[in-house]
Every structure is written in structure tokens, then in C-alpha cells.
Amino acid sequence: MLKLPSNVTFESLKMELKQIPQTDLLRMAVALALVAIAAYFYYNKKPKGSLNPEKFIDFKLVKKTQLSHNTAKFKFALPNPTSVLGLPVGQHIICRGIDSQGEEVIRPYTPVTLDSHVGYFELVVKMYPKGRMSHHFREMREGDYLPVQGPKGRFIYKPGQARAFGMLAGGSGITPMFQLTRAILENPKDKTNVHLIYANVTLEDILLKEELDAFASKFPNQFKVYYVLNQAPYAWNGGVGFISKEIIRSHCPAPASDIQILRCGPPAMNKAMKAHLDALGYQSEMQFEF
């Protein structure tokens, strides 16, 4: 790849080129040279990601915010204030920790921040009583370091790849859905519609509800969310029980070649959702499981 001396700037090269006598042919050559030089400086100044797919890198926990009795938001600093994580939308990271028995454990997590958030990334983590990685996050204190590897995953989003997404999420399976939804809605050029069905046990278990409701309020024609609770409170206007075929039929886009239905939740839920989708006529290429 072309390497320019460190004391050479785009403006200095531009001034040098403008000193050349300008015939029509030379004008064209100078214009092309300026485009090439501008491209060089743009790509060499573009922030590089902070991840490594082959090895773990430590990131410092700078803020831990308790969201509920078993859920917290963890904010990790990147190498410098202008760094980006470098995680493609739709992919995840692998985190390494120590369980209650002192043994190493690794688990996948999806940040709720994007590369538009510079200098840091955030994880929203539900900590289960017997979860091995949950123990590690529960014990983490500000100033501790988390080993992270990535990017990982089979799904990489490109704006316009689908007319609409249907999303079936359960519990902490909301994080990859939230990441994708955020990327779509925060891009004014992306007109993809999103239909999210989010299942939990109780109202208090719903992760990122404030943010999801804000999306629904700000983008009413592009984003819809329907909550399903196993133990619903009095006067609940969402779904009750489990996600059924009828709920999917009512709140997801109908089977078509330009839609995708994404699912992420506990294994039993994912299995049940696949059976529902198959029965409703969603072909395998219309489905994806995180």
C-alpha cells in the first residue's frame, strides 16, 4: 500500500499539483490525482477497530449501573476517546471470565452501542443465580478489566438487505435485536421496517424497555414492539403466556422473499419459534437464529 512521508499533508500536495501548467489533459490528470490523494487520507484517518478476532484484549470497566435486581449496564473504555469498537452490526463479542468455582468461562454478548459511539462500548447483562459468566459480571467492580475477543458471528447487516424484519426475542436475547434496530433507526437513509415481539416472565424482566418505547414513539411508522409476559400485571395490554403462531401472524411481516424473521432466546424458545415459523410458511432462507 502507498505510504506518504509523515510531513506530507493533503493541502500541501494539492498546492504542488496546482503549480503544474494546466492544459485540458493535465487538468484531468490533476483532478484524478486529487481524488486519489483525498481517498488515501480518508481511509488512513478512518478509525480502526479495537477488537482482535484471534486473541483476547482487556477493556477497563469505567461504569457499572444497576438497572434491576439482576440486570446491570457495564460501560467499558476503549483505548482512547476517539477509538471505535469495530463491531459490524449483527455480530457479537466473546467475553472471558471466572466462575464461582474459579474456572475459566467464555460467553457471547452483543453490545448495545454502535461504532457511532466513540471511546467506549456498553453491555446490558442479566445475571442469573447459577450462571457461570453471570457470577463474573456480578463480581466486577469499576476499574476491573474484561477480556474480549471479536468480531464473531454469521450475521452481518447491510442496509437494504430486507424490506422488513420480524424479530422474536426472549430475555437477554433482546441485545442483538436492539443493536440491529438501533443501527437501522439511527440511519436516516435506512427505511427498513422492524417488527419486534419481545417475551419475558414479568414486567420487571424487560430489558431496555425505556429505549425500545422511545424508538416506538420516535419512529411510529418504522418500528413496532409487542411485549409478551408469562406473568402479566393487572390491566396489561400486551400478550400473555408465550409467543404463539397467532401473535407472530398478527405482529410480524407475512412470508415474502424480501423479509427476514430473526430469533434469539433460550434454546427451548428458539426451537418452538422455528416450529411456529415453519408452520406459518416462512421458508428457511427467511429465518435466522442468533
Side-chain angles (χ1 to χ4, degrees):
M1 181 178 176
L2 174 64
K3 296 284 186 182
L4 294 177
S6 59
N7 63 336
V8 176
T9 67
F10 174 57
E11 289 301 321
S12 66
L13 281 170
K14 191 164 122 179
M15 293 301 297
E16 289 290 333
L17 287 168
K18 283 188 174 179
Q19 302 305 313
I20 301 172
Q22 299 283 294
T23 66
D24 287 344
L25 189 59
L26 274 173
R27 284 192 189 94
M28 184 179 296
V30 168
L32 289 172
L34 288 173
V35 169
I37 293 168
Y40 170 87
F41 280 97
Y42 172 79
Y43 285 109
N44 279 272
K45 287 183 179 180
K46 194 174 181 180
K48 292 180 171 58
S50 304
L51 294 169
N52 188 317
E54 304 300 328
K55 68 177 183 178
F56 284 92
I57 297 175
D58 291 339
F59 294 96
K60 184 179 181 179
L61 176 63
V62 293
K63 188 174 183 182
K64 180 179 179 180
T65 306
Q66 203 70 31
L67 302 179
S68 71
H69 71 285
N70 66 351
T71 304
K73 181 185 288 184
F74 297 80
K75 182 177 182 179
F76 296 92
L78 295 175
N80 62 66
T82 59
S83 297
V84 298
L85 184 60
L87 185 71
V89 175
Q91 300 217 304
H92 61 266
I93 57 177
I94 300 295
C95 300
R96 185 174 67 195
I98 303 297
D99 68 11
S100 60
Q101 303 301 311
E103 296 182 359
E104 183 177 291
V105 57
I106 60 172
R107 291 287 185 272
Y109 289 91
T110 303
V112 296
T113 44
L114 305 172
D115 277 356
S116 55
H117 303 88
V118 297
Y120 70 96
F121 72 95
E122 291 180 335
L123 299 176
V124 171
V125 180
K126 179 173 283 192
M127 291 159 283
Y128 299 94
K130 296 182 180 180
R132 295 179 63 200
M133 193 68 192
S134 293
H135 171 81
H136 184 86
F137 276 110
R138 197 160 38 240
E139 295 298 312
M140 284 196 78
R141 300 294 181 264
E142 292 177 5
D144 291 345
Y145 286 82
L146 179 72
V148 172
Q149 185 184 87
K152 301 289 183 179
R154 299 175 292 116
F155 188 93
I156 300 179
Y157 177 65
K158 295 179 181 178
Q161 74 180 50
R163 170 178 54 83
F165 284 109
M167 298 180 174
L168 310 176
S172 55
I174 188 61
T175 53
M177 309 300 189
F178 183 86
Q179 178 207 50
L180 176 56
T181 298
R182 187 175 206 170
I184 291 171
L185 298 179
E186 292 185 359
N187 180 0
K189 296 180 181 180
D190 195 335
K191 304 304 180 184
T192 307
N193 290 318
V194 179
H195 306 260
L196 169 65
I197 302 173
Y198 184 21
N200 283 278
V201 178
T202 69
L203 184 62
E204 291 71 28
D205 291 323
I206 300 177
L207 302 182
L208 301 165
K209 188 175 189 301
E210 184 177 341
E211 291 86 348
L212 292 169
D213 289 345
F215 284 157
S217 177
K218 187 176 180 180
F219 304 96
N221 298 320
Q222 194 176 4
F223 176 69
K224 310 286 185 185
V225 58
Y226 185 74
Y227 300 107
V228 178
L229 296 179
N230 190 249
Q231 300 172 17
Y234 179 73
W236 172 250
N237 60 2
V240 178
F242 300 99
I243 299 176
S244 63
K245 284 187 290 187
E246 290 68 29
I247 289 176
I248 295 173
R249 185 185 290 114
S250 298
H251 296 278
C252 280
S257 60
D258 58 353
I259 67 97
Q260 277 190 293
I261 307 294
L262 313 177
R263 59 181 184 268
C264 187
M269 175 187 168
N270 286 334
K271 184 177 179 180
M273 293 306 100
K274 183 182 187 311
H276 288 341
L277 294 172
D278 289 345
L280 289 169
Y282 292 94
Q283 299 172 12
S284 59
E285 60 267 24
M286 300 175 194
Q287 303 181 38
F288 184 86
E289 181 178 310
F290 286 100

